[in-house]
Amino acid sequence: MGHPFPIREIARQAGLSEATVDRVLNGRGGVRESTAREVHQAIADLDRQRTQVRLVGRTFMVDIVMQAPERFTTAIRAALEAELPALHPAVLRSRFHFRETGPVGELVRTLDRIARRGSQGVILKAPDVPEVTAAVGRLEAAGIPVVTLVTDLPASARLAYVGIDDRAAGATAAYLMGQWLGDRPGNILTSLSSGFFRNEEEREMGFRGVMRARHPERTLVEIAEGQGLDATQYDLVRAALERDPDIRAVYSIGGGNIATLQAFDDLGRECAVFVAHDLDHDNTRLLREHRLSAVLHHDLRQDVREACHTVMRAHGALPPAGPILPSAIQVVTPYNMPPQATAG
């Protein structure tokens, strides 16, 4: 695999020893297949980032650790790499640790490896469970600042949270749902990817609070633990629809919306109102096709920029700033989609 990067640079990007990288590049064997993939991924990341930044001067290596569906982590990677040229005065490099699902122990081991080998910062999207909170404490003890992105770990030693006010987002979804359903009868399906993500829990509470106050006659039917993945989501939604013939609207808190709509279609059921979150690739297409009523969105590039700036401030590369305000919630319909979405 041809490349212009020194072994030292590849080793740093991959978080491996130079000897291991040398064995992979020269085909000497004795290396696990997963380790070889990490080396080749590091070269691919360096190649992409080389076109965006000058690899000179003070460099911050930041680890992006996320448990989320691939469609969301792809959007995060694109947002970060689009922001790299503007992250002055320092140069920022990133290592990505993405997974769609899996045992909490694997996520904790990833965080502990980062604590051992060192990093200038961790940007984290993870379940709010005690094991992860403890791992964040070990990172902070090692002098590695942690910024939570999209979903918070408020009981942890994280430096800051960057994202929307999720209770306000859930309340907004309830307001839209009530307006658009009007006097039509029907129950509402609320769908979470997992009960362990703080942002989803907050959205659900905001939604329920407003629905209870403004539309107490509506029944809310909850499903959870689909992980935002289409295969598991389809089965959960179909089972809920078969149990309850009165479901006619969806508030999708955790994703898997293609599968949700497929379940409605396969049972010949109408989804009168569908409110979702995030303009990822799937939701952009569904919104353009008028399969979604609205998407509650926030600017991922702005969020990623703020997270990176927070890490840089922790190292004195930027002057101190005031408290981080919640990101603006955008209500996106098929008629006001951002230019980058309509062109996608």
Side-chain angles (χ1 to χ4, degrees), residues 194-210:
S194 171
F196 294 105
F197 284 103
R198 171 71 59 158
N199 66 326
E200 296 191 18
E201 178 184 329
E202 294 281 338
R203 291 173 187 177
E204 195 266 346
M205 286 191 289
F207 186 81
R208 281 187 180 274
V210 170

Side-chain angles (χ1 to χ4, degrees), residues 33-340:
E33 183 180 345
S34 60
T35 302
R37 285 198 300 270
E38 289 178 10
V39 171
H40 295 309
Q41 183 61 56
I43 293 171
D45 289 342
L46 283 170
D47 191 55
R48 275 198 315 277
Q49 295 175 34
R50 176 184 58 168
T51 66
Q52 316 237 7
V53 300
R54 296 178 301 111
L55 302 182
V56 296
R58 185 176 182 187
T59 300
F60 289 96
M61 180 64 78
V62 175
D63 289 273
I64 319 298
V65 182
M66 294 200 160
Q67 179 172 314
E70 186 271 339
R71 60 183 176 272
F72 185 78
T73 55
T74 296
I76 288 290
R77 184 193 291 265
L80 176 61
E81 293 181 346
E83 284 297 310
L84 289 180
L87 291 174
H88 302 307
V91 171
L92 187 139
R93 298 257 302 281
S94 54
R95 292 184 291 232
F96 299 98
H97 313 269
F98 293 158
R99 60 185 225 150
E100 289 198 308
T101 187
V104 169
E106 291 181 7
L107 182 60
V108 169
R109 283 191 287 274
T110 296
L111 296 174
D112 285 342
R113 280 197 302 271
I114 294 169
R116 288 193 299 269
R117 76 184 178 201
S119 177
Q120 275 71 56
V122 171
I123 297 174
L124 178 63
K125 179 185 182 296
D128 185 11
V129 295
E131 298 93 329
V132 174
T133 294
V136 170
R138 292 190 288 273
L139 285 163
E140 290 288 344
I144 301 172
V146 177
V147 178
T148 52
L149 183 70
V150 178
T151 185
D152 198 11
L153 303 171
S156 74
R158 56 95 170 119
L159 179 62
Y161 162 68
V162 176
I164 61 174
D165 179 335
D166 285 294
R167 286 211 187 201
T172 300
Y175 174 78
L176 295 173
M177 186 71 70
Q179 292 291 309
W180 288 337
L181 276 178
D183 295 329
R184 289 177 291 177
N187 299 337
I188 300 169
L189 182 70
T190 63
S191 169
L192 294 83
S193 72
S194 171
F196 294 105
F197 284 103
R198 171 71 59 158
N199 66 326
E200 296 191 18
E201 178 184 329
E202 294 281 338
R203 291 173 187 177
E204 195 266 346
M205 286 191 289
F207 186 81
R208 281 187 180 274
V210 170
M211 291 301 298
R212 186 165 51 243
R214 296 176 60 94
H215 307 284
E217 76 284 357
R218 296 283 182 192
T219 298
L220 306 185
V221 180
E222 180 182 315
I223 59 171
E225 305 308 321
Q227 305 301 323
L229 305 178
D230 286 339
T232 48
Q233 182 72 8
Y234 177 88
D235 292 338
L236 289 170
V237 174
R238 180 164 182 142
L241 293 176
E242 289 173 341
R243 288 193 303 269
D244 189 337
D246 295 324
I247 294 173
R248 60 178 294 123
V250 174
Y251 174 37
S252 174
I253 299 171
N257 300 325
I258 288 177
T260 296
L261 286 165
Q262 187 64 52
F264 273 87
D265 290 346
D266 288 351
L267 293 173
R269 299 273 289 275
E270 177 198 15
C271 183
V273 181
F274 196 133
V275 179
H277 281 270
D278 301 319
L279 271 183
D280 57 34
H281 181 270
D282 287 353
N283 286 346
T284 296
R285 178 170 67 82
L286 293 172
L287 195 61
R288 189 184 298 128
E289 294 172 354
H290 292 242
R291 301 298 308 278
L292 302 180
S293 308
V295 171
L296 301 180
H297 183 61
H298 55 287
D299 188 339
L300 285 180
R301 286 185 56 171
Q302 177 181 318
D303 287 355
V304 166
R305 185 189 320 131
E306 185 61 52
C308 292
H309 282 167
T310 301
V311 170
M312 292 161 70
R313 287 188 196 103
H315 292 281
L318 289 174
I324 298 174
L325 299 177
S327 305
I329 302 169
Q330 305 169 24
V331 179
V332 183
T333 73
Y335 302 103
N336 69 331
M337 296 174 69
Q340 64 270 26

